[in-house]
Amino acid sequence: GDAGAREDGAGEPSPAAQKKARRKVFPSQPPRVSGAKSPRLPRFAFDFFREQRCEAAAEGAEEDMAALVQQWKALDSEERSAFILMSEKDKARFEMEYEAWRLERLDSEGTLTVDIEVLLDKRRAELEKKLARLDKQAERAAFQAERAEAKAARDAARAAKPARAPRRKKVAKPEGFPEEPKSAFAHFCKERSCELREQSAAAPAAGEGEGDAKPSVEAEAAAAAAAAAPRPPRGA
């Protein structure tokens, strides 16, 4: 059983296993209406397209159903017309077989069956549901492939960048090693910083001397209040 499902132990499904898996999605023959003697439901245009592409594939190869749906969507009206004509002929075949089967069943069992359009609408809805699922699967696969391609491009660009040179470690200088020469700007900054420190140290002393000569704030306020007070009349 494992030998028939695998090919040379490579882990890949054999053509028979792939065909079996594909038939789970699209059976090789459409289902019957009811029972072994009932007519088979008609095939739609996509069914004929799928069968044609699968027959045209190389021997042992299996068409990817999701990719097949994308190919069907890409067909124009002229390319689809041949498959639509096939489906219309198969629908006429089904209507004839169904009517004969229905009348025979009515005579023998006295049972009326479901209307043809109801059967066709039900099968059409099932097919559209399958196609929508496969279409979504193809879109998801394309999105994942696009993401993988973008990631590969980023990885390639990152790998193409030149590697950064390692930083040189500072080596401790031996005792007595001469200092490196300083620039003119370094000498200017050193000299200027010394002058600023001297000025800031002398500023508080100058402020204290000036404060002794000036009247205090309280004295100025008292003098202003005395000047503004009314004077008593003469002779009082």
Side-chain angles (χ1 to χ4, degrees), residues 26 41 51 53 63 66 96 113 134 144 163 176 180 192 194 221:
F26 293 103
L41 292 168
E51 292 174 3
R53 290 302 172 95
E63 286 285 345
M96 292 177 58
T113 54
L134 291 171
Q144 292 175 352
E180 295 182 0
R192 185 60 180 164
C194 293

Side-chain angles (χ1 to χ4, degrees), residues 107-189:
D107 292 340
S108 61
E109 303 178 10
T111 305
L112 287 173
T113 54
V114 184
D115 185 69
I116 290 179
E117 293 301 325
V118 175
L119 294 172
L120 295 182
D121 290 343
K122 181 179 179 181
R123 185 165 187 271
R124 185 180 294 106
E126 293 176 354
L127 178 61
E128 290 176 352
K129 186 176 180 179
K130 291 179 181 179
L131 295 182
R133 184 172 66 251
L134 291 171
D135 189 25
K136 190 174 182 179
Q137 178 182 339
E139 291 179 356
R140 184 166 56 251
F143 175 72
Q144 292 175 352
E146 185 178 351
R147 287 186 61 184
E149 184 179 352
K151 184 179 181 300
R154 290 195 302 268
D155 293 343
R158 191 179 297 112
K161 288 183 178 180
R164 292 182 178 180
R167 294 182 178 180
R168 294 186 302 172
K169 294 183 179 180
K170 292 184 177 181
V171 181
K173 297 178 181 179
E175 188 177 355
F177 191 83
E179 296 183 359
E180 295 182 0
K182 296 181 180 180
S183 64
F185 180 72
H187 286 289
F188 167 78
C189 291

Side-chain angles (χ1 to χ4, degrees), residues 22 50-59 63:
R22 188 191 67 184
R50 175 181 56 81
E51 292 174 3
Q52 186 186 83
R53 290 302 172 95
C54 292
E55 291 175 0
E59 184 178 356
E63 286 285 345

Side-chain angles (χ1 to χ4, degrees), residues 44-143:
F44 294 109
F46 176 78
D47 295 322
F48 288 101
F49 169 78
R50 175 181 56 81
E51 292 174 3
Q52 186 186 83
R53 290 302 172 95
C54 292
E55 291 175 0
E59 184 178 356
E62 292 294 333
E63 286 285 345
D64 181 12
M65 290 295 104
L68 205 60
V69 172
Q70 299 302 312
Q71 295 176 18
W72 169 254
K73 291 173 63 177
L75 296 180
D76 56 27
S77 57
E78 184 177 356
E79 293 171 326
R80 291 192 184 189
S81 60
F83 303 106
I84 294 174
L85 181 61
M86 294 179 189
S87 67
E88 290 176 352
K89 290 181 179 180
D90 197 43
K91 181 182 177 182
R93 182 271 313 165
F94 170 73
E95 290 176 350
M96 292 177 58
E97 294 179 0
Y98 180 81
E99 185 63 20
W101 174 78
R102 188 184 69 82
L103 293 176
E104 181 182 354
R105 190 177 182 188
L106 180 62
D107 292 340
S108 61
E109 303 178 10
T111 305
L112 287 173
T113 54
V114 184
D115 185 69
I116 290 179
E117 293 301 325
V118 175
L119 294 172
L120 295 182
D121 290 343
K122 181 179 179 181
R123 185 165 187 271
R124 185 180 294 106
E126 293 176 354
L127 178 61
E128 290 176 352
K129 186 176 180 179
K130 291 179 181 179
L131 295 182
R133 184 172 66 251
L134 291 171
D135 189 25
K136 190 174 182 179
Q137 178 182 339
E139 291 179 356
R140 184 166 56 251
F143 175 72

